[in-house]
Each structure stands twice: as structure tokens, then as C-alpha cells.
């Protein structure tokens, strides 16, 4: 069974169609980069996958949970599907450790001693072991984003979704976050990441999906997508990015 | 009987002050409990409930407090429910405080960005858990300054209940003035007592607001 299967997903805001029949299958361990112009529906698709946005037609099966228009059992799905946002969205009133522990504690009832181990484990995976007691406003953007990744990892997700997680960062801070994500990919995490970092998509993603006007316009192994784009839309998209 | 202003008069006024503080505390507790419920209903309830609560808030905010107090005291007794001045004062002040606190706190809840709800949602927290652990603690922090500021308003507004004969600080001052005919002594002492209660609250409120604008406190 694939980690994620999207079938004929359609969504509109009011009368404006935004996703016009998306089909996508992601296998376990796949790293899928989603690229495309602004407004092509990348974020919307990602937000549909963990139920943040309702949709009108089609179905999504992710980490063994089926999601349809009824939106039942969303919480069970979210326990196994992590999401990292462009704007980090850390909880400013909680320390790094508390940010990480909150969901394992209140959603899964993890006991205290295990929570502490968990915090140490996920923080070391994002290279921030020494920051457990810091507050979000004491960290750089890159560090905050890595804490957000650690917070998501603490739920031990089967699939992780990343929505332009480096777009709010200065160029010199982008690298450290991309490195963290690349390490997760190497460790076998199944991921779907919306990104504007073409070089990164090419290097780290096993597959790349190009979205255009609410559809998956072209997809395939990353090497092929970037070296031999089949459609004029993708060719011009890659060309504008190189400039 | 004419007596002159002395130590006994100060004691008499102090007795009034205790009633003022007691009535204020009672108003704040009742208004706080209902205010919180109303604020949550107004910010997060179903549409029809939001409209009802918004109507309540606007109606009360547009009515002079004295009219609320007269309604509770004269109006209800006319309708056959007699409340003694203390009860009428507590009820009307609580109705008033509920509306204002609900409005202040609703604003604080709504000031927390939608992305905070989303992040908690994506971590599988239930709606109640999101409120309990993510939204309300942040809203509480923003609310502290304005809430303490509103406590000053409550203390000062208890003086209006003098008009239905409830003997709090202001009414005690009036009575004492009728006995001593020394209005300056009497009302300056009354003012000093109000100041002694209100000033520390105002100062604290300002402090809390400063701390907020200096970034989140830990
Ligand atoms: N809440 C909303 N209400 C109405 N329209 C929306 C909403 N969110 C997104 N849209 C519209 O849906 C379309 C797709 O938006 P989406 O955010 O998915 O694009 P994107 O590919 O992620 O773009 P970007 O690269 O700029 O992030 C856009 O035309 C956008 O204007
Ligand atoms: Mg987007």
C-alpha cells in the first residue's frame, strides 16, 4: 500500500476551482518535491492531505487513513502525518522542550520520563540539543524552523509534509534547514515538500511533481524532470528559475 | 446630631471602603466567570450564539450603569421581585462587567493568529486542547493589562450604587457629611480611599501592558 494516494482530488474556493482532479501516489520512503508557479495550488494540495482544508470531490488515503468529504477521524490521521509550515508557527509562550512535548503529552499521554528522552532525541536530530530550554523568540529563523521540524518528528509521523519551509528565511539560514530535511530523507522518512529550491529538489527528492493551474502537469524521477522536461510549461518554469 | 470629623469618622468611612471593595470583588468574580463564558461563545460559538452574545454586549454597553442599577432595584421590585440594595447592586454591576469583560477577552482570543490554531490542529490536538494549551494561555497574557485596567473602572463605578441607598464608600461619605457638615474633610478622605485602591491597580495594569509590548514574558 502506498504511503499516500490521492485520487481525483477536486477543490474550489467558492466558485473558483483551485485543484482540478489531482492523482498522485507516493510510496514509503519516497521524497516528493512539488514545484510550480505561485497560485498553482501546491499549498492547497498539501493542506488537503492532512485535512486542514476540506475538499469537494475525490479521496485521499494517507498513512492508512482515508480522508473524504466527511472529515471523520481527522485526529487519528494527524497523529501520523506531520506538517511543517512556512512561518514555523511555534507556540511563543512555550519553551522549545514544551513545544515539542505538548502533543505527545496531551494527545498520546506519553509519561514524563519518556517525554524527556523524546525531546533530546528529536532535538539532536535537528542539531539543536542545547536549545531545549530556550524560547522561540530567542532563536534565529533557521533554528525556529528546525524546532518546528523536531516538534513534528516527536509525533513519530509516517509521512511528513513541508510547505515552503525555507521561504521565510534569509539565504544563509536556508542551508541549515535543508540539511536537516536531507538527513531525514536519508533516514527514510516519507516526505512531500513544496519548495522553490530547485537545486534541492533535484538533489534530494526521489521524484518531482510539477503543478500547473490546479493540475499535476508533469511528474517523474527528479533527474528526468529537470534534465528533460516534456511540456513547454515546465520548460519555461525551469528556465525562469535559472535566471 | 452634629459631630465633628475625627477618628471615628475615618473608621466609618473605612467601613464603607470595605463594602466598596467587597462589591468590586464580587462584581469581578461574577463578571469574570460569565465574561469568560460569553467571550468564548462570542469568539468561537455557533453563529446564532455569537449574534445573541454580541447583542447582549452592545445592549449593555449602550446603557448607562445607573439605569441598569435602577432596573434591578426599582424595576424588578415593581415586577414583584424585591432585591435588597446589596443584591441589586451586585446583580447590575455583574451584568455590566460581564459585557465589558466578554468584549475585552473576545478581542484577546481573536488576536491570536489563525496559524497558531492550525499548528495545533496539525499536531492532532482536539479543539478543547487547542484552546486550553495554545490559545487561552497566549490570550491570557494579552488580556492581563486591560483586565486589571477594567478593575479600576469597576471600583469607581460601585459608587453609583449609592443612589439606591447601598452604603459603600460614597454613600458613607454622604451620610457622614450630613452629620458633620465638613464636606472637604469628608470627601477628600473618600477620594484618598478610592485613590489608595485604584492607583496600585492602574500602576499594575500599566506595568503589565509594558511587559507585553516588550515581547512575550517567560
Ligand atoms: N483561503 C482562500 N480563499 C480563497 N482563495 C484561496 C485561498 N487560499 C488560496 N486561494 C487561491 O487558491 C489558489 C492556489 O493557492 P495556493 O496557496 O495553493 O498556491 P501555491 O501554489 O501554494 O502558491 P505559492 O507558491 O504562492 O505559495 C490561488 O489562486 C489562491 O489565490
Ligand atoms: Mg503556497
Amino acid at each position: 500500500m502506498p504511503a499516500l494516494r490521492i485520487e481525483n482530488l477536486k477543490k474550489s474556493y467558492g466558485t473558483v476551482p483551485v485543484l482540478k482532479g489531482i492523482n498522485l501516489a507516493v510510496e514509503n520512503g519516497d521524497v516528493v518535491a512539488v514545484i510550480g508557479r505561485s497560485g498553482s495550488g501546491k499549498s492547497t494540495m498539501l493542506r488537503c492531505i492532512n485535512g486542514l482544508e476540506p475538499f469537494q470531490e475525490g479521496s485521499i488515503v494517507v498513512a492508512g487513513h482515508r480522508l473524504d468529504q466527511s472529515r471523520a477521524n481527522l485526529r487519528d490521521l494527524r497523529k501520523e502525518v506531520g506538517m511543517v509550515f512556512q512561518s514555523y508557527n511555534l507556540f511563543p509562550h512555550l519553551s522549545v522542550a514544551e513545544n515539542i512535548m505538548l502533543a505527545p503529552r496531551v494527545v498520546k499521554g506519553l509519561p514524563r520520563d519518556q517525554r524527556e528522552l523524546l525531546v533530546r532525541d528529536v532535538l539532536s536530530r535537528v542539531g539543536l540539543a542545547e536549545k531545549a530550554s530556550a524560547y522561540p523568540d530567542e532563536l534565529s529563523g533557521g533554528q525556529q524552523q528546525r524546532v518546528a521540524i523536531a516538534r513534528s518528528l516527536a509525533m513519530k509521523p509516517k509521512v511528513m509534509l513541508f510547505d515552503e519551509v525555507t521561504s521565510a528565511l534569509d539565504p544563509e539560514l536556508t542551508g541549515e534547514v535543508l540539511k536537516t530535511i536531507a538527513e531525514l530523507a536519508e533516514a527514510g522518512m516519507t516526505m512531500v515538500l513544496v519548495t522553490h529550491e530547485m537545486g534541492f529538489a533535484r538533489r534530494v527528492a526521489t521524484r518531482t511533481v510539477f503543478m500547473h493551474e490546479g493540475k499535476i502537469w508533469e511528474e517523474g524521477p527528479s533527474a528526468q524532470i529537470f534534465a528533460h522536461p516534456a511540456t513547454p510549461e515546465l520548460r519555461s518554469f525551469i528556465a525562469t528559475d535559472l535566471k | 446630631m452634629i459631630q465633628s470629623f475625627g477618628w471615628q469618622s475615618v473608621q466609618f468611612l473605612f467601613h464603607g471602603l470595605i463594602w466598596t471593595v467587597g462589591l468590586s470583588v464580587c462584581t469581578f468574580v461574577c463578571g469574570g466567570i460569565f465574561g469568560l463564558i460569553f467571550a468564548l461563545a462570542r469568539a468561537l460559538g455557533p453563529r446564532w450564539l455569537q449574534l445573541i452574545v454580541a447583542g447582549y454586549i452592545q445592549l449593555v454597553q449602550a446603557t448607562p450603569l445607573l439605569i441598569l442599577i435602577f432596573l434591578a432595584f426599582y424595576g424588578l421590585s415593581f415586577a414583584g421581585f424585591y432585591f435588597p440594595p446589596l443584591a441589586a447592586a451586585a446583580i447590575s454591576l455583574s451584568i455590566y462587567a460581564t459585557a465589558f469583560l466578554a468584549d475585552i477577552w473576545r478581542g484577546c482570543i481573536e488576536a491570536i493568529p489563525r496559524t497558531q490554531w492550525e499548528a495545533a490542529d496539525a499536531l492532532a490536538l482536539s479543539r478543547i486542547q487547542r484552546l486550553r494549551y495554545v490559545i487561552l494561555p497566549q490570550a491570557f497574557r494579552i488580556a492581563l493589562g486591560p483586565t486589571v485596567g477594567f478593575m479600576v473602572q469597576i471600583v469607581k463605578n460601585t459608587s453609583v450604587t449609592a443612589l439606591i441607598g447601598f452604603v459603600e464608600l460614597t454613600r458613607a461619605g454622604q451620610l457622614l457629611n450630613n452629620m458633620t457638615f465638613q464636606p472637604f474633610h469628608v470627601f477628600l478622605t473618600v477620594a484618598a480611599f478610592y485613590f489608595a485602591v485604584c492607583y496600585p491597580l492602574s500602576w499594575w495594569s500599566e506595568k503589565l501592558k509594558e511587559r507585553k509590548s516588550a515581547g512575550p514574558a517567560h
Side-chain angles (χ1 to χ4, degrees):
Chain A
M1 194 176 59
L4 165 66
R5 181 191 292 281
I6 303 178
E7 278 172 350
N8 191 34
L9 172 64
K10 290 186 185 166
K11 161 155 189 93
S12 33
Y13 285 109
T15 58
V16 184
V18 175
L19 299 178
K20 307 171 185 168
I22 301 273
N23 291 287
L24 181 69
V26 176
E27 298 300 326
N28 280 304
D30 265 356
V31 177
V32 175
V34 180
I35 60 173
R37 285 189 208 292
S38 182
S40 56
K42 307 181 295 293
S43 298
T44 307
M45 178 180 81
L46 216 60
R47 292 165 58 84
C48 284
I49 295 174
N50 77 343
L52 282 181
E53 291 290 348
F55 50 88
Q56 285 84 19
E57 260 184 70
S59 74
I60 298 176
V61 179
V62 55
H65 300 274
R66 189 185 166 83
L67 206 123
D68 50 27
Q69 288 79 333
S70 77
R71 298 171 67 70
N73 306 322
L74 270 182
R75 290 186 67 205
D76 288 330
L77 178 150
R78 287 176 181 149
K79 284 179 203 166
E80 304 194 304
V81 180
M83 174 124 181
V84 184
F85 301 87
Q86 178 175 345
S87 51
Y88 338 128
N89 303 355
L90 293 180
F91 306 132
H93 61 301
L94 299 179
S95 71
V96 165
E98 290 163 342
N99 262 278
I100 293 170
M101 277 192 276
L102 178 64
R105 175 163 72 92
V106 306
V107 176
K108 293 184 167 172
L110 199 70
R112 175 186 291 273
D113 48 334
Q114 290 182 40
R115 293 204 297 266
E116 273 154 21
L117 284 176
L118 179 69
V119 167
R120 239 175 291 159
D121 173 46
V122 293
L123 276 182
S124 69
R125 282 166 77 183
V126 300
L128 287 173
E130 75 288 5
K131 293 290 186 193
S133 56
Y135 278 81
D137 65 347
E138 298 165 350
L139 302 176
S140 74
Q143 290 172 329
Q144 289 190 51
Q145 191 57 292
R146 285 188 285 153
V147 171
I149 293 173
R151 180 175 71 176
S152 187
L153 279 176
M155 290 297 274
K156 309 217 183 296
K158 292 187 178 144
V159 177
M160 286 184 82
L161 311 172
F162 295 82
D163 192 0
E164 295 194 31
V165 297
T166 58
S167 297
L169 297 175
D170 295 336
E172 65 267 27
L173 297 178
T174 302
E176 63 186 56
V177 174
L178 293 181
K179 180 164 161 279
T180 301
I181 297 174
E183 283 164 7
L184 285 179
E186 217 144 284
M189 178 63 76
T190 308
M191 304 194 277
V192 179
L193 36 105
V194 173
T195 183
H196 283 304
E197 303 282 337
M198 294 304 147
F200 180 76
R202 193 175 197 154
R203 260 187 301 116
V204 175
T206 50
R207 286 167 57 213
T208 293
V209 166
F210 172 61
M211 285 187 73
H212 187 68
E213 294 180 349
K215 292 190 191 126
I216 292 190
W217 208 255
E218 204 175 325
E219 66 164 309
S222 301
Q224 178 201 321
I225 287 283
F226 286 103
H228 308 289
T231 58
E233 289 79 8
L234 178 54
R235 272 199 292 277
S236 88
F237 178 72
I238 292 174
T240 32
D241 186 71
L242 290 181
K243 259 185 262 159
Chain B
M1 182 187 72
I2 293 181
Q3 60 180 61
S4 77
F5 190 86
W7 176 238
Q8 271 195 332
S9 317
V10 175
Q11 278 182 316
F12 180 70
L13 289 179
F14 187 76
H15 198 72
L17 175 68
I18 292 189
W19 281 105
T20 289
V21 171
L23 182 59
S24 301
V25 169
C26 170
T27 300
F28 184 71
V29 169
C30 294
I33 292 169
F34 287 104
L36 181 61
I37 296 170
F38 281 36
L40 289 170
R42 175 74 182 84
L44 310 165
R47 189 92 191 106
W48 59 269
L49 190 58
Q50 290 192 14
L51 288 176
I52 293 175
V53 175
Y56 169 86
I57 292 173
Q58 279 174 356
L59 199 66
V60 174
Q61 286 189 340
T63 309
L65 176 59
L66 184 58
I67 302 301
L68 289 178
I69 291 172
F70 280 171
L71 275 173
F73 188 62
Y74 299 117
L76 288 179
S77 69
F78 192 74
F81 306 95
Y82 175 73
F83 288 109
L86 171 59
I91 292 170
S92 45
L93 276 166
S94 298
I95 289 173
Y96 156 86
T98 295
F100 279 86
L101 287 173
D103 205 27
I104 294 173
W105 292 342
R106 169 196 66 116
C108 295
I109 293 170
E110 289 177 350
I112 308 304
R114 195 178 49 91
T115 50
Q116 289 285 307
W117 286 93
E118 276 187 353
D121 209 6
L123 287 165
L125 271 68
S126 68
R127 197 171 156 82
I128 300 287
Q129 289 171 338
R130 279 177 268 160
L131 261 182
R132 159 82 182 73
Y133 296 106
V134 177
I135 305 303
L136 290 185
Q138 294 184 60
F140 178 76
R141 217 164 264 184
I142 318 175
L144 267 180
T147 302
V148 174
F150 183 68
M151 285 163 90
V152 177
Q153 299 300 316
I154 293 178
V155 173
K156 289 195 289 192
N157 278 331
T158 55
S159 65
V160 179
T161 64
L163 281 140
I164 54 169
F166 178 60
V167 187
E168 38 63 73
L169 182 52
T170 299
R171 183 76 184 142
Q174 281 180 326
L175 295 174
L176 192 67
N177 185 44
N178 291 345
M179 291 188 280
T180 61
F181 297 109
Q182 288 177 291
F184 270 111
H185 291 78
V186 172
F187 289 113
L188 278 176
T189 312
V190 168
F193 277 163
Y194 275 115
F195 183 81
V197 174
C198 292
Y199 181 72
L201 286 175
S202 298
W203 180 84
W204 186 29
S205 166
E206 285 309 311
K207 264 279 174 280
L208 291 166
K209 287 179 193 164
E210 262 170 43
R211 198 182 68 178
K212 188 192 74 202
S213 56
H218 308 140

